[in-house]
């Protein structure tokens, strides 16, 4: 019986999607699933759970982290993006890295003061947590500076979702004693049209740019997510049952 269930799990894509709902994505992607109603949130979670992204920004994140912490140059960062990751994502990761390097020519992150840190998490239920982790932490002017970096080509978050995201960063990471007075930075590089040409431009959020959610607002957002997750589980569970029924009739 156990072996049969394991074999079904390996074959039924909807059962895999159900398990995916129990492992929320990192904070930036998680807030995109918290919409105005549980129904909207549930539908967003269904799309995410059933979707298979053609690539990730992992190679770009790795290259940028090495730039911040090791001071690698642009050609070396390009090689990081070209050596690994899905071919479909190489241009997107290269543009992400180039946008960061252009920004860093002005910002000039220090490569000499990176520090180690533990991963953070925001708990939404007893057995469900959202990963909340900066890409790097450096020391500047005697203070720790966590740096959160996102590779999206657009920045689709509404104002509430932006406030929710910075609240997660604060609750799960910045509220720790070492970062209580930290000027954390949150970096995005969405495409913007300039003189008829689309280019990635930095959008920088600093601590205090967005008002944190109140306890009541945060509780409502979490409840919205949990209710939406139950809706998503019901929808995907129904599809899983139909899939199993169809397979059994073949």
């Amino acid at each position: 019986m156990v072996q049969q269930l394991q074999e079904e799990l390996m074959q039924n894509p909807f059962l895999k999607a159900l398990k995916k709902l129990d492992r929320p994505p990192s904070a930036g992607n998680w807030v995109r699933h918290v919409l105005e109603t549980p129904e909207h949130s549930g539908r967003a979670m269904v799309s995410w759970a059933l979707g298979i992204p053609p690539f990730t920004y992992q190679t770009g994140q790795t290259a940028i982290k090495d730039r911040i912490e090791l001071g690698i140059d642009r050609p070396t960062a390009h090689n990081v993006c070209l050596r690994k990751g899905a071919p479909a994502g190489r241009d997107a990761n290269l543009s992400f890295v180039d946008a960061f390097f252009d920004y860093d020519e002005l910002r000039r992150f220090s490569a000499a003061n990176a520090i180690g840190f533990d991963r953070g998490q925001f708990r939404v239920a007893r057995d469900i947590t959202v990963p909340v982790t900066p890409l790097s932490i450096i020391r500047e002017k005697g203070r720790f500076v966590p740096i959160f970096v996102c590779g999206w080509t657009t920045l689709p978050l509404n104002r509430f979702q932006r406030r929710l995201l910075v609240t997660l960063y604060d609750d799960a990471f910045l509220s720790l004693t070492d970062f209580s007075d930290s000027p954390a930075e949150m970096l995005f590089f969405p495409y913007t049209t300039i003189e008829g040409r689309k280019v990635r431009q930095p959008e920088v959020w600093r601590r205090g740019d967005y008002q944190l959610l109140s306890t009541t607002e945060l509780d409502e957002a979490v409840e919205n997510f949990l209710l939406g997750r139950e809706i998503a589980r019901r929808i995907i569970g129904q599809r899983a049952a139909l899939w199993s029924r169809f397979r059994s009739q073949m």
Side-chain angles (χ1 to χ4, degrees):
M1 182 63 177
V2 173
Q3 182 178 357
Q4 180 182 352
L5 290 174
Q6 290 176 336
E7 290 175 353
E8 185 176 12
L9 180 60
M10 291 293 292
Q11 297 174 2
N12 190 328
F14 298 104
L15 291 179
K16 290 184 178 181
L18 282 174
K19 292 182 69 68
K20 191 174 177 180
L21 290 174
D22 295 330
R23 300 187 302 273
S26 61
N29 285 302
W30 182 78
V31 300
R32 296 176 70 168
H33 303 155
V34 184
L35 302 176
E36 55 270 24
T37 67
E39 290 74 19
H40 286 92
S41 299
R43 287 199 291 270
M45 280 180 251
V46 169
S47 297
W48 167 73
L50 296 178
I52 302 176
F55 65 90
T56 71
Y57 285 102
Q58 185 60 50
T59 55
Q61 294 266 357
T62 298
I64 290 171
K65 181 179 177 68
D66 286 349
R67 168 62 176 182
I68 294 172
E69 299 184 357
L70 303 176
I72 67 171
D73 60 15
R74 195 183 299 242
T76 302
H78 284 181
N79 285 334
V80 172
C81 295
L82 294 173
R83 287 199 312 267
K84 297 180 180 180
R90 285 175 183 163
D91 286 345
N93 275 281
L94 286 171
S95 70
F96 174 34
V97 166
D98 278 335
F100 177 84
F101 268 76
D102 292 344
Y103 172 69
D104 193 37
E105 288 179 3
L106 300 175
R107 172 60 175 80
R108 297 194 178 282
F109 287 105
S110 171
N113 296 310
I115 66 169
F117 57 92
D118 295 326
R119 294 179 178 273
Q121 59 184 17
F122 175 76
R123 187 168 298 279
V124 295
R126 182 176 57 82
D127 55 348
I128 302 175
T129 59
V130 177
V132 182
T133 306
L135 181 65
S136 182
I137 299 177
I138 60 174
R139 185 193 294 269
E140 284 186 332
K141 299 178 181 178
R143 294 188 295 179
F144 295 132
V145 183
I147 304 164
F148 299 86
V149 184
C150 179
W152 299 339
T153 56
T154 63
L155 190 46
L157 305 181
N158 60 36
R159 185 168 184 82
F160 178 81
Q161 290 170 321
R162 292 173 182 225
R163 291 179 62 204
L164 176 58
L165 180 57
V166 298
T167 301
L168 262 62
Y169 287 157
D170 189 86
D171 183 279
F173 211 91
L174 300 179
S175 61
L176 300 176
T177 302
D178 287 342
F179 309 113
S180 59
D181 65 344
S182 169
E185 294 185 23
M186 297 144 239
L187 308 179
F188 304 85
F189 299 92
Y191 275 112
T192 302
T193 300
I194 299 178
E195 297 180 352
R197 188 169 64 96
K198 292 182 66 177
V199 294
R200 283 189 185 241
Q201 290 289 291
E203 180 170 328
V204 183
W205 302 356
R206 293 183 171 84
R207 197 170 188 181
D209 284 352
Y210 288 96
Q211 182 182 7
L212 300 180
L213 297 181
S214 67
T215 300
T216 299
E217 290 173 320
L218 182 57
D219 288 345
E220 289 175 351
V222 169
E223 182 180 11
N224 190 333
F225 166 77
L226 293 173
L227 292 173
R229 175 173 167 271
E230 291 308 309
I231 292 172
R233 289 183 65 85
R234 184 168 65 250
I235 292 171
I236 296 174
Q238 291 170 348
R239 297 183 186 183
L242 288 173
W243 190 92
S244 296
R245 192 175 306 128
F246 173 79
R247 291 283 298 205
S248 67
Q249 294 172 354
M250 292 179 63

